[in-house]
């Protein structure tokens, strides 16, 4: 079976998107193999070719770029690629399914979801942050897409509350897929008189909003 990984990326400068992508790919791969299915993947994202590609020994995959240029030049090609999948798993780059980043970005995400629904491919919104939706049109269009989706997964309480408020019944709340990210535990010798502290800097907050435009962030 061929599974589309919509809005996944292995070249995004936001390495969190890469962590979500490899984790979700691994979860789907494990579930498929338990059912006796050999999966193939079509990665559909906004970034270019894979900078940190998944293992080709385990995964069979190809990549297609979904951006404004391809949408204008070759919409039928994008549609055919999405329609070729047996199911689409859309992770929304983690937290992009919202209108706080601007109308253009939300419209692009809605168009991609609409292509899957139009092709009658089961659309599953993988665990992600959903909302907030501030505009009337964005709220209505997003709610319509989610109601037509097969399943919608929220990865936090606030997103799940948004689903309840919008009347999305095909919903569930689960933990972030990044918790399934494989890793090798590093053993370091601790200094008894020193405290180890880790700092994670949000690039979004550091640049005062998406792409430095100073838009509202969570």
């Amino acid at each position: 079976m061929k599974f589309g990984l919509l809005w996944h990326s292995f070249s995004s400068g936001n390495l969190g998107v890469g962590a979500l992508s490899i984790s979700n790919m691994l979860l789907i791969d494990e579930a498929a193999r338990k059912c006796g299915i050999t999966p193939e993947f079509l990665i559909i994202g906004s970034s270019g070719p894979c900078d940190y590609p998944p293992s080709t020994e385990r995964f069979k995959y190809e990549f297609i770029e979904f951006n404004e240029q391809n949408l204008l030049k070759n919409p039928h090609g994008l549609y055919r690629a999405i329609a070729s999948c047996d199911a689409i798993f859309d992770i929304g780059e983690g937290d992009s399914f919202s209108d706080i980043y601007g109308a253009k970005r939300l419209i692009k995400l809605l168009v991609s979801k609409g292509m899957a629904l139009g092709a009658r491919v089961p659309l599953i919104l993988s665990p992600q942050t959903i909302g907030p939706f501030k505009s009337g049109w964005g709220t209505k269009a997003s709610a319509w897409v989610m109601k037509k989706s097969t399943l919608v997964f929220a990865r936090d309480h606030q997103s799940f509350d948004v689903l309840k408020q919008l009347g999305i019944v095909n919903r569930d709340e689960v933990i972030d897929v990044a918790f399934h990210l494989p890793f090798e535990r590093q053993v370091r010798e601790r200094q008894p008189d020193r405290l180890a502290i880790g700092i994670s800097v949000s690039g979004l907050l550091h640049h005062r909003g998406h792409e430095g435009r100073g838009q509202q962030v969570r």
Side-chain angles (χ1 to χ4, degrees):
M1 295 181 69
K2 185 176 181 180
F3 300 109
L5 301 181
L6 185 58
W7 300 115
H8 293 61
S9 176
F10 298 100
S11 58
S12 172
N14 182 348
L15 297 181
V17 177
L20 294 176
S21 299
I22 189 63
S23 296
N24 207 35
M25 193 177 188
L26 183 60
L27 282 165
I28 297 166
D29 182 81
E30 290 175 351
R33 292 181 188 277
K34 285 180 180 178
C35 296
I37 297 168
T38 301
E40 298 180 13
F41 296 97
L42 175 63
I43 303 163
I44 311 163
S46 58
S47 302
C50 299
D51 293 331
Y52 37 95
S55 168
T56 54
E57 294 181 1
R58 169 154 191 159
F59 303 112
K60 183 178 180 181
Y61 60 90
E62 54 184 321
F63 178 86
I64 185 171
E65 196 166 358
F66 195 109
N67 55 26
E68 292 86 347
Q69 291 78 13
N70 283 349
L71 194 55
L72 292 173
K73 293 180 180 179
N74 190 24
H76 297 295
L78 290 173
Y79 179 83
R80 286 194 300 270
I82 290 174
S84 71
C85 298
D86 294 294
I88 295 287
F89 291 86
D90 179 350
I91 207 161
E93 294 185 330
D95 70 348
S96 290
F97 195 21
S98 170
D99 58 11
I100 64 172
Y101 299 124
K104 184 173 75 171
R105 191 171 186 180
L106 178 59
I107 289 171
K108 186 168 61 174
L109 266 70
L110 288 171
V111 168
S112 66
K113 293 169 172 58
M115 285 184 173
L117 295 174
R120 299 186 182 278
V121 178
L123 175 64
I124 298 95
L125 271 60
S126 293
Q128 60 190 278
T129 300
I130 298 173
F133 300 104
K134 303 295 185 181
S135 62
W137 71 268
T139 302
K140 291 179 181 178
S142 300
W144 183 86
V145 163
M146 287 189 284
K147 288 176 181 177
K148 295 292 184 180
S149 299
T150 301
L151 283 170
V152 181
F153 292 99
R155 66 178 181 180
D156 55 77
H157 299 322
Q158 288 177 311
S159 296
F160 194 66
D161 287 341
V162 169
L163 298 181
K164 289 191 289 186
Q165 292 166 10
L166 295 178
I168 311 301
V169 296
N170 50 327
R171 64 177 189 256
D172 201 355
E173 182 179 357
V174 295
I175 63 171
D176 196 310
V177 299
F179 283 102
H180 197 65
L181 184 70
F183 71 98
E184 294 182 6
R185 187 176 296 277
Q186 301 295 317
V187 179
R188 295 187 177 90
E189 185 177 347
R190 298 266 323 257
Q191 298 291 335
D193 58 340
R194 294 188 178 183
L195 180 66
I197 299 175
I199 299 175
S200 176
V201 179
S202 167
L204 187 65
L205 293 175
H206 177 70
H207 293 291
R208 303 180 63 187
H210 180 62
E211 295 179 354
R213 288 197 287 265
Q215 294 175 323
Q216 180 186 0
V217 296
R218 295 180 186 83

